[in-house]
Amino acid sequence: MSTTADLVLALKKELKSAQMTYADLAAALGMAESSVKRMLAKGDMPLSRIDAICRALKLDFADVARRVADAQPLLAQLTQDQEKAVVADKKLLLVAICVLSQWTLEQITSAYRLTEAQCVGYLVKLDRIGIIELRPLNRYRLKLAKTFRWRPHGAVMDYFRDNALLDYFSGGFNGDSEGLLLVHGSISRSVAPSFMERMQRVAQDFAQQHLADQKVNDKDREGYTLLLAMRSWEFEAFTNLRR
């Protein structure tokens, strides 16, 4: 559904809530009732007309538009083209990772060598890509679902495999609250999906805790990267020794 159609649908709900009839609206707009009915039924009209309806309802257009935006379904995954756009610029990828963690503009520019103007420019690009909805005062709304994940074989995961995987595993994993577990075993195929569900719950718990701790002072928080993986796999050197 187009943005205009969404706005018209929202206005119809507001008309009903305000108990304003089509005849009442027509009088306020200086139009024939039949024209108003036809216009609303078509679901497509100029923004100037939508603004006029908002005034008749004593609503702020920006508030209505924001409600429509908030009601849009969140993305569980980006398209290939969206991911390619994100990794095309390393600084844009950095800002994308930051907004996934709900960082503010001030937090990003304080932590990284980016000017405010540069960071705002990257936020604008992320808005165009569809990851965020940029709002006044450089605030934003994340348009990704809590279950969001990068495409398993998409541009972003390929980038991290090529550029970050060895860097991540080169760490000792011996710091406070760090650990690396490698467990191998053969289990029933019917049971395997339940382990994936548990891993997804752990990932969700981690994401929710991150959001809950945004109000905690920066000095009392630490950045962690949680990596969960499970696949049917055998080390290639071992496979080569099979009979």
Side-chain angles (χ1 to χ4, degrees):
M1 184 180 291
S2 70
T3 302
T4 303
D6 290 331
L7 284 169
V8 172
L9 182 59
L11 289 175
K12 287 181 179 179
K13 292 180 180 178
E14 292 294 341
L15 285 168
K16 184 176 182 180
S17 177
Q19 296 183 335
M20 178 180 282
T21 66
Y22 285 166
D24 294 333
L25 180 60
L29 298 177
M31 297 175 60
E33 182 179 352
S34 58
S35 297
V36 169
K37 288 182 178 179
R38 186 165 53 251
M39 179 178 65
L40 291 173
K42 187 178 180 182
D44 187 19
M45 66 186 76
L47 289 178
S48 59
R49 184 68 72 188
I50 292 176
D51 193 38
I53 296 175
C54 286
R55 289 196 299 272
L57 285 164
K58 295 181 173 56
L59 295 172
D60 185 273
F61 174 81
D63 288 339
V64 177
R66 189 172 296 114
R67 288 177 210 168
V68 170
D70 290 343
Q72 297 301 308
L74 300 178
L75 300 176
Q77 198 170 70
L78 299 181
T79 66
Q80 289 279 19
D81 288 341
Q82 286 172 314
E83 287 202 1
K84 287 179 181 178
V86 170
V87 298
D89 184 330
K90 291 180 182 178
K91 291 181 179 178
L92 179 62
L93 176 60
L94 167 63
V95 177
I97 298 299
C98 289
V99 301
L100 281 173
S101 296
Q102 300 281 9
W103 281 29
T104 64
L105 173 70
E106 293 75 19
Q107 287 175 313
I108 298 173
T109 54
S110 295
Y112 298 104
R113 292 192 302 273
L114 293 173
T115 66
E116 181 175 323
Q118 286 176 318
C119 195
V120 170
Y122 288 125
L123 291 176
V124 170
K125 289 183 178 181
L126 293 177
D127 178 273
R128 291 173 181 166
I129 291 171
I131 292 177
I132 64 171
E133 177 204 342
L134 193 55
R135 292 179 169 176
L137 302 177
N138 298 317
R139 307 282 182 187
Y140 62 86
R141 180 182 74 95
L142 198 61
K143 297 171 70 173
L144 306 179
K146 292 180 180 179
T147 55
F148 171 80
R149 60 177 294 195
W150 300 111
R151 302 178 74 87
H153 298 285
V156 174
M157 287 302 298
D158 284 346
Y159 178 87
F160 279 103
R161 286 189 188 97
D162 294 340
N163 299 280
L165 202 59
L166 291 179
D167 183 47
Y168 180 82
F169 282 109
S170 66
F173 293 90
N174 53 0
D176 292 340
S177 303
E178 291 186 352
L180 176 64
L181 303 174
L182 177 62
V183 182
H184 178 74
S186 297
I187 61 175
S188 168
R189 290 188 180 91
S190 63
V191 173
S194 68
F195 281 92
M196 277 302 304
E197 290 177 4
R198 292 183 216 175
M199 289 169 60
Q200 289 169 352
R201 286 199 295 271
V202 170
Q204 185 63 37
D205 288 345
F206 184 86
Q208 290 178 340
Q209 190 63 51
H210 160 76
L211 294 176
D213 286 352
Q214 289 306 294
K215 296 180 181 179
V216 177
N217 291 330
D218 288 346
K219 64 182 181 62
D220 295 323
R221 288 185 291 151
E222 184 69 42
Y224 291 94
T225 297
L226 177 68
L227 177 65
L228 300 171
M230 178 176 170
R231 59 171 291 206
S232 176
W233 173 81
E234 183 178 52
F235 185 37
E236 184 178 5
F238 296 167
T239 303
N240 292 336
L241 293 175
R242 281 188 174 269
R243 295 183 182 278

